[in-house]
Amino acid sequence: MRSIVHRLLSRPLRLPAMFGPKPQPGDPQIFRFNSEREEIITEVVRRTEEHFAADPKRLLYALNEAGHAEIRRLAGQGDAEADLALGSWRRLVKRLGKMSHEERSDSLRSISRVMVEDIAGNFDPRVYNLSARLIPGVLTAVMNPMGLPTQLLAGGFSQLDALISAEGPIDKLRRLAQIGTLVLVPTHSSNLDSVALGYVLLRANLPPVVYGAGRNLFSNPLISFFMHNLGAYRVDRRVSAAVYKEALKTYSCLMVERGYHSLFFPGGTRSRSGTIERRLKLGLAGTAVEAFSRNQTNGLHRPVFFVPATLNYALVLEAETLIEDHLKGAGQARYIIDDDEFSRIDRIYAFMTKLVTLRSALVVRFGDAMDPFCNPVDDEGRSIAPSGQPVDPGSYVRRRGVPSVDPARDAGYTRELGDAIARVYQRETVIIWTQLVAHVLYRYLVWSTPELDLFSRQRRRGEVAMPREQLVREVADARDRLLQAEAEGRVHVGPVLRSQSPERIVSEALSAWRDYHTKVVATEVGDDVLIEDPNLLLFYQNRLLPWAEELATEETLAAARSIVNQGGKA
C-alpha cells in the first residue's frame, strides 16, 4: 500500500481548471516549464553527448567509468530494482570493447536520457496556486490548531508572519526579477530551508524558483508530491558517474540560460557546525556564470543577478544530529544524512509545536544583488564598477571583442564570486537570541576549563554552572556590543534581542531549548544555570564566531580567543 501511495503522490498532479488559471503572458518563466520540459531534456542530452563523444577515448572512458560506478552502487543497494539495472550495466561493460564509436554514442545517449529524465522537475501552476491558498492554513493548523478558526475569521494567517520574517531590499528584487534572472544563494542550516524560502518568496510576491533537492528528500510522499509539482529537480548524490554529473550541471546551466529563477545552496550541504559558511565552492551555482557566458555568445543579453541570503533560526530542527556529525569528523565522509530529525515525523511535529511559541522564530535576510563578476547592481539592473560608473557585464566574457565560453576563465570568476558571497553572509547574518545566550554560556564553560581541549570540554556535561545573574549581565553587555556592530553595518540583530530585556532573553532561550531538544541544553538549578549539553551550546554559539572577540570583556577575552581558534580548526 505504501508503495502505491508513494507512486501516486510522485506523479505530476492532474487538477481540474477550477484550481487555478492556465499560464498567462506575464507569469514567471517557470509557469511554462511543462511545455518546455521535453525540449530541455533533449538539449541536455545533446550537450552531454557532445561533451564526451567528440573524443573516442574520452567516450570509452566515460562509459566504462559510469558502468563500474553504477555496478558498485547498485550491488550495495540490494533490492529488486537494483538487481534489474545491474544486469544492464554488466552487459554494457562486457560489450564496450567490441562496440563501434556510433554504438558507444548511442549508448551514451540512452544512458544520459534516463539520467536527465530522472533529474528533470515538473511545475504545475495549478498546484502552485492551490499551495498558495492551503499552505499557510496547513502550517498554522500544525503549529497552532486552536488558533486556526481565529485566523480564518480574520481572513489571513498573521501568525506565520510573526514567526517568519523577511528583511532586505525586497522591492528592488521584485524589479530585478522583471529585468533578468535571479539566482538565490542562501546559507544552509536545515532541510526546511527550501520550504521556508518558498513561503517567504510567495508572501513577498517574488517569483518561484527551480532548485536541486537531494533524492533522499523525495522519500517523504507528501513532501515529494509538492517538490515534484513545484519546480524541484532531483539530485542523486549516490551516483558518482561523470556522465551523471555532466548531465546535472548542464541541466542546471540550461535552466538559468532560459530565464528560470533558480536557488542554489553554495555551501553544498547543511552547515554541520552551525557556523556561517566561509569557504564556498558554489558547485551547481557556478553554472549560472557559464549560463551568462553562453547567452552572451548567442546574442542574448539577459542579466543574471546573484542574491545572497541568510536564514537565521532560533531553533534548528536537525541541530543535535548535525553537531554530533561535525564533532565525529563524519561531515566530510557522510555527505548524505538520511537518519536525522527531518526523517522523523515526531521530531518535525515537536519542532513545529515549539516554533509557534517563539517570537521571530526565523528571519530570512536578503542581501543586495550582484552580477556574476561581483559587481553590485542598481535598481535598474545596471552593473556598477568599483569606480562607481556603470559597466557592461558582457565585457567580462569577451575575447578580442567576441563573447566566448571559457571554462577556465568562468571557474576563476566563480571562485571570486564564492568569496564575495561569503563576505555578504557575514554582513547580512541576523543574530538570534538563542545564539547569543548559547555564546555567553559556552564562553563561560571555556573560561572555567582553560586547560581542556575542544573534545575534552565537550564531555563536561552537568559539571559547570554559571550564576544566572552573571549570565544576564553578560548577555546584556554582549547585546549592547552587537547593537554597536549593527550600527556600523557589520551585522544585524534580531527583533527579540533588540526589544526584550536581558532577563527575558535568557528565560526564552532556556525555554526554547528545553521544550524542543531531546537533550537538556542548560537547566536552572537554584541561582545558577547548569550546562548540560556543551555540543548544542557549541552549535548555536558558532554563529557568533566572527564577533566573539569584540563581544568579550577583558576578563573573558582569552576564552573568546580560544573559541575563535577552535572554530578555525573546525
Side-chain angles (χ1 to χ4, degrees), residues 51-90:
H51 179 79
F52 291 103
D55 181 346
K57 290 183 179 179
R58 189 178 194 182
L59 174 60
L60 176 60
Y61 176 82
L63 288 172
N64 189 57
E65 185 264 349
H68 284 96
E70 282 298 276
I71 288 169
R72 286 193 300 272
R73 180 180 72 84
L74 294 168
Q77 194 168 312
D79 56 37
E81 182 181 356
D83 290 342
L84 184 64
L86 260 175
S88 298
W89 282 107
R90 283 171 174 156

Side-chain angles (χ1 to χ4, degrees), residues 197-210:
L197 278 166
Y199 174 72
V200 166
L201 294 176
L202 176 68
R203 194 183 64 189
N205 199 27
L206 286 165
V209 294
V210 297

Side-chain angles (χ1 to χ4, degrees), residues 131-193:
S131 66
R133 300 175 192 174
L134 294 185
I135 285 177
V138 170
L139 288 176
T140 302
V142 170
M143 292 177 167
N144 186 15
M146 298 300 293
L148 185 57
T150 303
Q151 297 290 349
L152 290 173
L153 289 172
F157 297 95
S158 59
Q159 184 153 2
L160 273 183
D161 291 345
L163 289 170
I164 304 173
S165 58
E167 301 177 357
I170 294 174
D171 288 340
K172 178 178 178 178
L173 294 180
R174 291 194 198 102
R175 290 192 293 273
L176 294 180
Q178 302 300 315
I179 298 169
T181 305
L182 300 184
V183 177
L184 299 183
V185 280
T187 56
H188 197 9
S189 301
S190 168
N191 279 331
L192 292 175
D193 290 347

Side-chain angles (χ1 to χ4, degrees), residues 24 70 94 111 113 127 180 235 269 342 387 456 527 545 570:
Q24 301 299 313
E70 282 298 276
K94 285 182 180 179
I111 290 166
R113 176 83 194 190
V127 177
V235 179
T269 184
F342 187 78
S387 65
S456 299
D527 294 331
L545 275 179

